[in-house]
Amino acid sequence: SSLLRRRFISLWIFLVFALGSGLEAGAQNVSTLGFDPVRLRRLDAVVEEHVARGQLAGGIVYIARDGRIAHLKAYGKQDVEAGKEMPTDAIFRIASMSKAVTSVAVMMLYEEGKFMLHDPVSKYLPAFKNSVVAIPAPADAAPGTPYVTVPAKRPIQIRDLLTHTAGLTYGDGLAIDRYKQAGLYGWYLADKNETIGDAMNRLASLPLHGHPGESWQYGYATDVLGYLVEVVSGLPLDRFVQERICAPLRMPDTCFYLPKDKASRLAPVYGYEQGQLTKRETAESSDYVNGPRKLFSGGAGLLSTITDYGRFLQMLLNGGELEGVRLLSPKSVELMHANHTG
């Protein structure tokens, strides 16, 4: 949704997934897997129509059932101007789909007894102690006062970050000017020449836009969790994700910043405005290739392929295990699937 608000189209990945246990390479007979080939072609037609209308540069559809791939197909162009066809191994900025990966990292550490979900995050990240909340200025406030702050009713708990009820937005709210002044407005952090710890400690000094636990707000919560993973595990977030999640699950193309030898596979970002696609970023101009490469955004910073992310989803569908590799217990996955916000 944050991408859509900025009218960006990052050569959308389409994921349609059904239950299974393993994940076999290579397409299987779609009828054997219980799919109607005629109806699958309707999906093809929808994507192809958007490409033909110039509403998408390209995309990929991936469907699996019972651990077998039923449909894996690329459409349109990876790079329209260069005439480069979309390959099925194109690498995308997966934006907020990063949040699920970071949340799995948090739950892995929770299973190891590193913290309790109701612990205040300030127990591990002291800068978040004594949070305040921005509220509308009272009637007797000085003219022009945009808001006042009050102490948070209770500390931010780790579970609040996991459920997006910590009072954190992407800067929108009464204290928006403070967030902009702090350079923390919007989800995009890849261009920053600082660490996630630097950014999150600065975030902790800003007013919340809601009392912890009281309302659902989408924002920097999962970036705070990424910093929590670093502090608790003793590893930079990129190493934790690589060593504890991607390597065991055999997700070779999932990372925060792209090696130069994979840059040609990065799908450019296109904007869609006034009925026209416009290239907004190339591999050469991308911060994910040539930027500072210092800030690992657990909320929106990962790159991946559709098949890599399919393996990650299959692990969750299997209750925390894939092909003999277990990252989480079934009970933890069940807890992740439960409704915590009503």
Side-chain angles (χ1 to χ4, degrees):
S1 62
S2 56
L3 283 174
L4 287 173
R5 285 199 298 273
R6 289 156 182 77
R7 300 183 68 80
F8 277 118
I9 298 173
S10 184
L11 302 175
W12 287 109
I13 295 176
F14 294 81
L15 284 174
V16 187
F17 219 86
L19 282 172
S21 56
L23 198 62
E24 296 180 10
Q28 306 291 325
N29 184 288
V30 294
S31 298
T32 301
L33 294 175
F35 291 98
D36 183 339
V38 174
R39 288 173 177 257
L40 286 183
R41 286 197 290 272
R42 293 181 187 175
L43 286 176
D44 294 338
V46 169
V47 184
E48 288 166 352
E49 181 180 3
H50 283 293
V51 171
R53 288 180 178 177
Q55 296 170 322
L56 288 177
I60 307 172
V61 169
Y62 175 88
I63 304 171
R65 173 174 285 164
D66 295 332
R68 291 179 290 172
I69 299 170
H71 196 63
L72 176 59
K73 185 174 179 179
Y75 313 80
K77 306 293 185 184
Q78 175 181 316
D79 189 314
V80 175
E81 292 78 5
K84 186 176 182 179
E85 298 294 321
M86 176 68 75
T88 56
D89 69 346
I91 296 172
F92 295 84
R93 288 166 35 172
I94 66 170
S96 284
M97 289 160 64
S98 308
K99 290 178 170 64
V101 179
T102 302
S103 296
V104 164
V106 170
M107 294 304 293
M108 291 169 69
L109 292 169
Y110 165 66
E111 284 192 354
E112 294 172 7
K114 302 293 187 183
F115 46 73
M116 299 298 287
L117 296 183
H118 60 260
D119 281 346
V121 70
S122 59
K123 182 177 179 180
Y124 310 94
L125 310 180
F128 283 90
K129 195 172 184 179
N130 302 320
S131 296
V132 298
V133 180
I135 63 170
D140 59 354
T145 303
Y147 65 89
V148 296
T149 61
V150 296
K153 295 178 184 178
R154 66 164 174 80
I156 297 173
Q157 297 177 0
I158 293 172
R159 63 177 180 174
D160 298 325
L161 297 167
L162 286 163
T163 57
H164 300 283
T165 58
L168 290 167
T169 67
Y170 276 125
D172 290 308
L174 291 170
I176 183 173
D177 289 345
R178 289 278 306 276
Y179 281 77
K180 289 183 175 180
Q181 290 167 6
L184 290 169
Y185 182 74
W187 61 272
Y188 190 83
L189 301 174
D191 59 341
K192 296 193 177 299
N193 189 23
E194 61 181 339
T195 67
I196 189 63
D198 295 333
M200 293 302 98
N201 284 325
R202 190 164 69 256
L203 176 73
S205 70
L206 303 176
L208 302 175
H209 284 130
H211 286 282
E214 290 195 355
S215 60
W216 190 92
Q217 294 169 302
Y218 200 62
Y220 291 116
T222 316
D223 288 301
V224 178
L225 289 173
Y227 181 35
L228 175 71
V229 169
E230 291 198 342
V231 170
V232 171
S233 72
L235 292 174
L237 185 59
D238 65 331
R239 279 191 56 193
F240 188 96
V241 169
Q242 169 59 30
E243 295 174 13
R244 299 290 306 277
I245 297 175
C246 293
L249 294 183
R250 292 194 287 118
M251 297 165 57
D253 294 319
T254 301
C255 54
F256 284 96
Y257 295 101
L258 206 57
K260 295 293 178 71
D261 61 356
K262 295 185 179 182
S264 64
R265 293 167 54 198
L266 180 64
V269 174
Y270 286 83
Y272 184 69
E273 295 180 1
Q274 299 178 337
Q276 187 173 352
L277 285 174
T278 305
K279 186 184 286 185
R280 297 298 182 84
E281 178 189 83
T282 64
E284 293 73 28
S285 65
S286 175
D287 292 314
Y288 292 95
V289 178
N290 292 311
R293 305 171 72 93
K294 288 177 65 175
L295 195 155
F296 308 121
S297 168
L302 281 170
L303 310 169
S304 192
T305 62
I306 199 166
T307 48
D308 268 19
Y309 207 78
R311 293 184 64 81
F312 174 76
L313 294 181
Q314 189 71 62
M315 177 273 296
L316 289 174
L317 284 168
N318 295 350
E321 178 272 339
L322 180 66
E323 297 169 358
V325 174
R326 179 164 294 283
L327 299 189
L328 293 172
S329 72
K331 281 295 182 183
S332 290
V333 177
E334 183 181 336
L335 183 66
M336 294 169 74
H337 288 168
N339 185 343
H340 297 273
T341 58

